[in-house]
Amino acid sequence: ETGVTQSPTHLIKTRGQQVTLRCSSQSGHNTVSWYQQALGQGPQFIFQYYREEENGRGNFPPRFSGLQFPNYSSELNVNALELDDSALYLCASSRAQGLVHEQYFGPGTRLTVT
Amino acid sequence: SQQGEEDPQALSIQEGENATMNCSYKTSINNLQWYRQNSGRGLVHLILIRSNEREKHSGRLRVTLDTSKKSSSLLITASRAADTASYFCATLGGTSYGKLTFGQGTILTVHP
């Protein structure tokens, strides 16, 4: 197992609500990335945080936002939930080493939107 | 959008046999990584191969990379029932940050 933890494990929300997912990165890692994995698909990159700033974003609308804290933990916030937001949300931490970026994933948060 | 395409989508073999999974990608890369995922849980990093490498080994895993064909293969030798999982290739490249672009994965089932 990696040292990356995520909470909660499972979450059920209603369409239109807001959700916050949390991630603690592995010790020594200063970069956190978030991915969305729909059932039967590979993970899709949402965004990445490095030293508390967003430094890259995938093709996700602004209602997906995030934060990184001084201890490098991170939050993913999703506003105005839609049914299609139902997915496994994965965070991954890495030690920014130029372009190597070996990422270590947490166990994920399973979000169900009804 | 998914960069990689993996082949086959599903693979079923007997314990002790070798399993080969292939991955193709579209754009230039800095490195390619393989991950394993058990039953919709988190991804486990298996191996990373850089764009200037052609082959890499780790235990029972062998990865090859052909940048001219934009393809990679993962070979698992002497498979075990515990190898049953989904396997994903992911490429890093084209951005200044660590965005991994994943394929859709290969579901491997190893029968005891």
Side-chain angles (χ1 to χ4, degrees):
Chain A
E1 288 191 3
T2 70
V4 180
T5 60
Q6 291 185 244
S7 63
T9 305
H10 295 90
L11 201 53
I12 300 175
K13 289 286 190 177
T14 303
R15 191 171 50 184
Q17 286 187 317
Q18 177 267 341
V19 69
T20 298
L21 310 182
R22 294 178 175 82
C23 171
S24 291
S25 59
Q26 185 162 309
S27 176
H29 289 183
N30 57 14
T31 302
V32 174
S33 303
W34 286 92
Y35 293 83
Q36 180 197 66
Q37 186 180 21
L39 199 62
Q41 302 292 316
Q44 297 265 334
F45 176 80
I46 303 174
F47 43 55
Q48 183 179 86
Y49 279 81
Y50 173 65
R51 292 184 176 178
E52 302 178 55
E53 291 197 4
E54 183 183 299
N55 74 332
R57 190 176 185 93
N59 190 26
F60 281 81
R63 60 189 185 83
F64 285 77
S65 63
L67 284 173
Q68 187 180 32
F69 300 99
N71 66 354
Y72 303 125
S73 65
S74 177
E75 287 183 354
L76 164 65
N77 299 291
V78 187
N79 293 323
L81 284 166
E82 300 177 359
L83 297 179
D84 284 349
D85 295 334
S86 294
L88 180 68
Y89 288 84
L90 298 161
C91 80
S93 73
S94 58
R95 224 180 359 233
Q97 292 179 331
L99 294 172
V100 175
H101 289 282
E102 186 172 310
Q103 298 188 14
Y104 294 85
F105 283 80
T109 294
R110 174 74 62 185
L111 172 65
T112 302
V113 183
T114 62
Chain B
S1 62
Q2 306 268 306
Q3 148 119 286
E5 292 186 5
E6 282 159 276
D7 169 54
Q9 291 187 332
L11 181 60
S12 182
I13 61 174
Q14 295 295 127
E15 225 172 12
E17 294 180 338
N18 295 341
T20 300
M21 289 160 267
N22 303 297
C23 166
S24 62
Y25 57 91
K26 297 173 185 172
T27 61
S28 63
I29 63 171
N30 292 295
N31 65 60
L32 185 144
Q33 305 177 33
W34 285 89
Y35 288 84
R36 184 185 75 214
Q37 185 176 43
N38 290 85
S39 301
R41 295 176 60 83
L43 295 162
V44 174
H45 185 270
L46 296 176
I47 197 165
L48 180 153
I49 186 165
R50 302 183 192 210
S51 59
N52 61 353
E53 297 176 312
R54 291 296 166 259
E55 188 171 312
K56 204 161 183 181
H57 296 255
S58 177
R60 294 184 295 113
L61 306 180
R62 172 178 168 254
V63 169
T64 61
L65 179 65
D66 187 336
T67 53
S68 67
K69 295 181 179 178
K70 291 187 169 58
S71 67
S72 174
S73 68
L74 171 68
L75 169 67
I76 304 174
T77 60
S79 62
R80 306 165 182 168
D83 294 329
T84 295
S86 293
Y87 291 81
F88 295 91
C89 69
T91 56
L92 181 75
T95 64
S96 61
Y97 51 90
K99 170 187 173 183
L100 286 175
T101 303
F102 285 83
Q104 293 199 326
T106 294
I107 300 172
L108 173 65
T109 303
V110 182
H111 299 281

